């Protein structure tokens, strides 16, 4: 049964010739990935120092405001890179029919769930003492929640279909539609009143320079972490595909 | 036969099948009535904002009942390999999408009109006076609902858990439609006229245009065999 599934999966993945070409890829550990990992750990530690110790305490909100650096960084990654990569790789997959794009989109969606969850958890912790409520139906909050549902739906769709080109096609279609939908969701909910603080406006927003530095470092650190996790996850999937191919060859002999 | 003629032929096939079996619209309708009934227990009579809650109830009923129809839209084609036959038609894939979309649009709209009548009686809303406005909103919202719904119905057709999966895929993407439709019908029901909620109407139009266009473009990839 297991072999049968493997067989099906490998056939669905790609013709052997295509896999052969990238046999070397994703196999060996390479220096730049380790460097990226080390770099993101250092950057996170630095961001923690800046956010928790170095940045001045907010005059009105107190220490709870320090949550904001990670909240904003996670929200940026969820809405920006994570979803952007899902959409871009979905389009690229439909165009090029290369399953590697599908694996990148899938890895990015998983990270998207993680960062969206961080945003949705840190937000209410801050909002409870500051706004007096865990949740309000503000455009950004609601959009983030809808985004979370779209990411999870994307992964649910993937888990319901056997690996291969069919799964890649269907999830690419959903990824593209979801990505187009999010700005419309935001627009539609914005016509209600908003109480979410605008931190980075075109005029510079209401943020002290030290705080802004801490914020940008946090965003940079999280972005590095995202890049590292994405690379690791995609390599993992590449290896799984290769493993399937090897198993398949052994089975045939 | 032109593009629209071909699409209508596919839609007419679905409508004719439905007229003969009467299995889908009737169950959608009954389910819509039930949603209206059940929401009634959640709303205290004399609630201060009762007028604001009513459009929400109506749209919840439309969406929950409508998704039943979308579920059947492509899965009914699975019987006797009808889907293969449909794909073998010497027409563009966009025509198949448009045909299925038109069929769904007719079914959901028919269901909505009956549910609207039921709602009007049970919730004491005089819909006759505001019917033109409501119909405009209903039409626009049903286009958006069926545009994405038909696409996702095709996405989920070959999947074991398709019923629940379709709801999980569809509802988050439908948020703007539900919100805009509920908001603009609140304006209409309160007698403020269709254009009091003009920006919501614009939102519906934008959503319809964007997702019809996107769906036509990507539908090719969904049914690739």
């Amino acid at each position: 049964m297991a072999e049968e599934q493997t067989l099906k999966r490998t056939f669905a993945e790609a013709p052997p010739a295509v896999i052969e070409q990238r046999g070397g890829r994703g196999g060996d550990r390479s220096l730049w990935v380790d460097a990226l990992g080390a770099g993101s750990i250092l950057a996170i530690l630095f961001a923690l120092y800046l956010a928790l110790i170095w940045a001045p305490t907010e005059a009105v909100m107190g220490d709870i405001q320090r949550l904001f650096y990670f909240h904003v960084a996670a929200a940026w990654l969820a809405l920006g890179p994570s979803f952007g990569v899902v959409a871009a790789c979905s389009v690229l997959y439909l165009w090029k029919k290369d399953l590697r794009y599908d694996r990148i989109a899938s890895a990015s969606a998983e990270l998207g769930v993680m960062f969206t969850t961080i945003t949705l958890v840190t937000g209410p912790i801050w909002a409870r003492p500051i706004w007096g409520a865990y949740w309000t139906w503000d455009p950004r909050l609601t959009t983030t929640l809808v985004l979370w549902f779209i990411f999870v739906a994307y992964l649910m769709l993937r888990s319901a279909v056997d690996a291969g080109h069919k799964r890649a096609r269907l999830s690419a279609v959903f990824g593209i539609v979801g990505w187009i939908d999010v700005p419309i969701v935001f627009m539609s909910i914005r016509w209600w009143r908003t109480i979410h603080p605008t931190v980075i406006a075109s005029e510079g927003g209401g943020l002290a320079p030290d705080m802004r530095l801490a914020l940008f470092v946090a965003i940079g650190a999280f972005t590095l972490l995202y890049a590292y996790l994405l690379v690791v996850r995609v390599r993992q999937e590449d290896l799984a595909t290769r493993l399937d191919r090897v198993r398949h060859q052994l089975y045939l002999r | 036969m032109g593009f629209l003629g071909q699409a209508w032929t596919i839609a007419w096939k679905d409508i004719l099948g439905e007229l003969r079996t009467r299995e889908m619209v009737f169950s959608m309708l009954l389910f819509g009535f039930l949603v209206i009934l059940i929401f009634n227990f959640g709303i205290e009579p004399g609630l201060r904002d009762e007028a604001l809650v009513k459009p929400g109830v109506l749209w919840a009923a439309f969406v929950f009942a409508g998704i039943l129809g979308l579920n059947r839209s492509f899965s009914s084609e699975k019987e006797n390999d009808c889907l293969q036959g449909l794909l073998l038609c010497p027409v563009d894939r966009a025509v198949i999408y448009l045909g299925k979309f038109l069929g769904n649009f007719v079914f959901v709209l028919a269901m909505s009109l009956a549910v609207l009548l039921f709602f009007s009686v049970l919730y004491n809303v005089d819909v006759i006076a505001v019917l033109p406005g409501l119909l405009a909103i209903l039409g626009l919202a049903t286009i958006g609902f069926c545009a994405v719904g038909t696409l996702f119905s095709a996405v989920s057709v070959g999947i074991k858990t398709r019923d629940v999966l379709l709801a999980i895929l569809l509802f988050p993407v439908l948020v703007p439609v539900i919100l805009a439709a509920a908001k603009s019908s609140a304006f209409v029901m309160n007698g403020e006229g269709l254009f009091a909620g003009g920006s919501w109407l614009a939102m519906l139009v934008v959503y319809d245009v964007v997702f019809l266009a996107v769906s036509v473009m990507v539908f090719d990839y969904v049914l690739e065999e």
Side-chain angles (χ1 to χ4, degrees), chain A:
Chain A
M1 187 60 201
E3 275 87 357
E4 199 180 304
Q5 270 179 346
T6 313
L7 197 67
K8 252 165 77 182
R9 195 167 159 193
T10 319
F11 273 134
E13 285 277 13
V18 176
I19 302 172
E20 210 61 63
Q21 281 173 2
R22 61 172 63 94
R25 222 200 276 186
D28 316 300
R29 294 182 68 82
S30 54
L31 196 62
W32 71 273
V33 178
D34 292 340
L36 189 60
S40 53
I41 290 169
L42 288 177
I44 292 278
L45 287 176
F46 184 51
L48 277 172
Y49 166 74
L50 285 189
L52 299 183
I53 298 165
W54 182 77
T57 306
E58 217 275 342
V60 182
M61 300 184 212
D63 277 333
I64 190 83
Q65 181 268 345
R66 294 178 189 275
L67 206 52
F68 142 93
Y69 303 108
F70 306 105
H71 174 73
V72 174
W76 144 251
L77 278 163
L79 276 162
S82 302
F83 213 6
V85 167
V86 172
C89 286
S90 296
V91 172
L92 281 171
Y93 170 77
L94 290 182
W95 184 23
K96 304 275 191 192
K97 302 282 175 197
D98 184 344
L99 280 172
R100 198 175 154 81
Y101 293 119
D102 179 56
R103 292 196 283 270
I104 299 173
S106 145
S108 191
E110 286 171 5
L111 293 172
V113 171
M114 182 179 89
F115 284 116
T116 317
T117 307
I118 292 175
T119 313
L120 288 174
V121 169
T122 51
I125 294 174
W126 171 86
R128 179 67 186 165
I130 305 300
W131 287 344
Y134 286 114
W135 187 265
T136 66
W137 293 98
D138 166 272
R140 296 183 206 203
L141 276 68
T142 315
T143 306
T144 312
L145 185 62
V146 172
L147 181 69
W148 187 86
F149 276 116
I150 291 178
F151 271 136
V152 172
Y154 178 88
L155 294 179
M156 291 278 286
L157 174 62
R158 295 188 67 89
S159 70
V161 190
D162 289 336
H165 280 287
K166 185 183 176 193
R167 180 174 81 178
R169 271 195 338 258
L170 297 183
S171 46
V173 165
F174 183 72
I176 292 168
V177 171
W179 185 73
I180 296 170
D181 191 55
V182 167
I184 304 182
V185 170
F186 181 71
M187 289 292 290
S188 71
I189 303 167
R190 198 167 65 171
W191 284 328
W192 289 348
R193 71 196 163 86
T194 173
I195 62 168
H196 194 288
T198 303
V199 183
I200 302 172
S202 48
E203 298 296 309
L207 208 58
D210 286 356
M211 290 181 174
R212 188 177 312 174
L213 179 66
L215 174 63
F216 284 146
V217 170
I219 290 176
F222 265 47
T223 309
L224 268 182
L225 181 69
Y226 165 81
Y228 174 63
L229 291 176
L230 185 72
V231 169
V232 169
R233 191 75 184 89
V234 170
R235 284 162 67 96
Q236 224 171 22
E237 286 292 316
D238 285 347
L239 284 173
T241 312
R242 256 181 90 190
L243 190 63
D244 267 355
R245 180 175 62 94
V246 173
R247 277 211 192 110
H248 170 58
Q249 284 178 341
L250 288 174
Y251 180 67
L252 280 188
R253 263 174 211 141

